[in-house]
Amino acid sequence: MKEEKLKVASKPNLPLVVSAVEKKYPISNGKKDYVAVKSISFTIRENEIFGLLGPNGAGKTSLISVLTGLYPATSGDAWLQGLSIRTEIDKIRMSIGVCPQFDLLWR
């Protein structure tokens, strides 16, 4: 994780850095957790636009939910404008907009 923070610190102008983010959901019957997002990493540079494409169940909504702080990441981290989704999500929410598929109120 220290290496990732160094990468972000050395490139503070990057709008988005996603590093080894995983999201797993527990299954109540004792089976292995359901892996919705498996160790995804990518960087978005200034003036780039990106989209998430994939079939149903590919983890698109889960990734956006993690990046916006709706759900915590199981592991990994991401930085939006140098702010960590793990420790600075309140600040991140002040500078992003998301239009979810359902009504949502931040608490």
Side-chain angles (χ1 to χ4, degrees), residues 37-95:
V37 178
K38 185 177 180 182
S39 193
I40 187 167
S41 298
F42 61 92
T43 301
I44 303 299
R45 293 177 183 87
E46 193 171 346
N47 298 319
E48 287 184 341
I49 296 173
F50 80 102
L52 297 173
L53 301 174
N56 292 344
K60 302 175 298 292
T61 301
S62 291
L63 178 60
I64 292 295
S65 296
V66 167
L67 293 178
T68 59
L70 185 60
Y71 302 125
T74 304
S75 62
D77 202 351
W79 297 267
L80 283 84
Q81 297 294 341
L83 301 172
S84 168
I85 62 169
R86 292 196 170 272
T87 59
E88 300 170 289
I89 196 64
D90 290 337
K91 290 178 185 176
I92 290 171
R93 286 183 182 149
M94 299 289 285
S95 65

Side-chain angles (χ1 to χ4, degrees), residues 70 93 100 102-107:
L70 185 60
R93 286 183 182 149
F102 49 88
D103 291 336
L104 175 72
L105 295 175
W106 297 115
R107 293 183 187 249

Side-chain angles (χ1 to χ4, degrees), residues 13-44:
N13 295 330
L14 292 176
L16 178 61
V17 176
V18 177
S19 178
V21 168
E22 289 193 352
K23 179 60 186 169
K24 297 178 183 178
Y25 296 98
I27 297 176
S28 61
N29 62 4
K31 294 183 180 179
K32 288 185 177 181
D33 292 345
Y34 174 76
V35 179
V37 178
K38 185 177 180 182
S39 193
I40 187 167
S41 298
F42 61 92
T43 301
I44 303 299

